[in-house]
Amino acid sequence: RDGRIDAEPVLVLSNRPDAAGLERAARFGVPATCLDHTHFADREAFDRALARSLADCDAEIIALAGFMRILTPGFIAQFAGRLFNIHPSLLPRHRGLHTHRRVLAAGETWHGASVHFVTEELDAGAVIKQGRIRVRPDDDETSLARRVLQEVELQLYPEVLSWAAAGRLRLEGGRALLDDRAVVLPPIGEN
């Protein structure tokens, strides 16, 4: 809506009927649907239906956000190089769940988020860009999660998706390329 991404959203899809994104999409006139994963015999059947939905609307870029499902290799292969995720950690640190809790438990001084290409290995695809914040002494899991979302994720993801929409990003040989140059991430900082 604000013009940061030169693309037209064609579908918001969730596996949970109560997902806030479905209501938000409806408010903005974006088609939205729920494919409740509990209504499918197995992960493969769900992913086949998911792939059909995305193919039916000619989705060129698939941006995962809060989609807490591990996708099958067949689905990932079908959309390879067009499938993006934002993960609340400075990958490769803290792949998987409970990242904010794990950062605090480890006593780390930096936390943030990473946008990466989705590959078969969970949260291990080529990282495109990261953003970080300092962990404050008074942070708890809730405050840290809120700050990462507001100060990092909501700025980082639109920027990377704008690059994808402009055709500037690609995945080649397991590496993220921006404008045909390998992405090199800066050091995370001391911990």
Side-chain angles (χ1 to χ4, degrees):
R1 198 175 87 174
D2 65 8
R4 287 188 286 172
I5 304 172
D6 187 17
E8 184 69 31
V10 295
L11 179 66
V12 170
L13 193 147
S14 177
N15 65 310
R16 294 187 352 255
D18 61 342
L22 296 171
E23 179 188 324
R24 187 173 299 133
R27 278 199 323 262
F28 289 105
V30 176
T33 192
C34 176
L35 288 177
D36 188 335
H37 65 278
T38 64
H39 296 169
F40 292 85
D42 55 28
R43 188 175 301 279
E44 288 76 15
F46 172 76
D47 279 8
R48 282 192 302 274
L50 182 63
R52 273 192 307 276
S53 293
L54 295 170
D56 287 349
C57 68
D58 294 323
E60 295 176 15
I61 296 169
I62 297 104
L64 304 176
F67 192 76
M68 304 301 286
R69 300 275 307 161
I70 296 175
L71 298 164
T72 59
F75 179 90
I76 292 168
Q78 185 174 348
F79 296 101
R82 302 187 295 146
L83 194 54
F84 300 89
N85 186 45
I86 186 154
H87 181 73
S89 82
L90 296 169
L91 293 172
R93 291 182 182 155
H94 308 297
R95 293 168 41 188
L97 300 173
H98 310 296
T99 61
H100 314 298
R101 180 183 315 157
R102 290 160 56 201
V103 163
L104 291 169
E108 295 179 8
T109 57
W110 292 103
H111 190 30
S114 305
V115 180
H116 65 92
F117 282 101
V118 175
T119 59
E120 289 184 29
E121 190 176 349
L122 181 67
D123 298 327
V127 175
I128 301 160
K129 188 163 184 181
Q130 295 179 317
R132 67 184 188 154
I133 58 170
R134 275 204 178 271
V135 177
R136 295 178 182 158
D138 62 340
D139 269 324
D140 60 20
E141 192 174 344
T142 301
S143 68
L144 189 56
R146 183 178 51 250
R147 289 192 323 107
V148 167
L149 175 66
Q150 294 296 321
E151 297 175 32
V152 181
E153 292 183 60
L154 294 177
Q155 284 67 47
L156 192 65
Y157 214 10
E159 180 180 24
V160 171
L161 293 175
S162 73
W163 296 342
R168 297 177 57 199
L169 275 177
R170 62 190 167 94
L171 180 63
E172 185 176 286
R175 297 180 318 154
L177 301 179
L178 175 62
D179 298 328
D180 294 322
R181 289 196 294 266
V183 171
V184 179
L185 300 173
I188 292 170
E190 73 281 355
N191 269 314

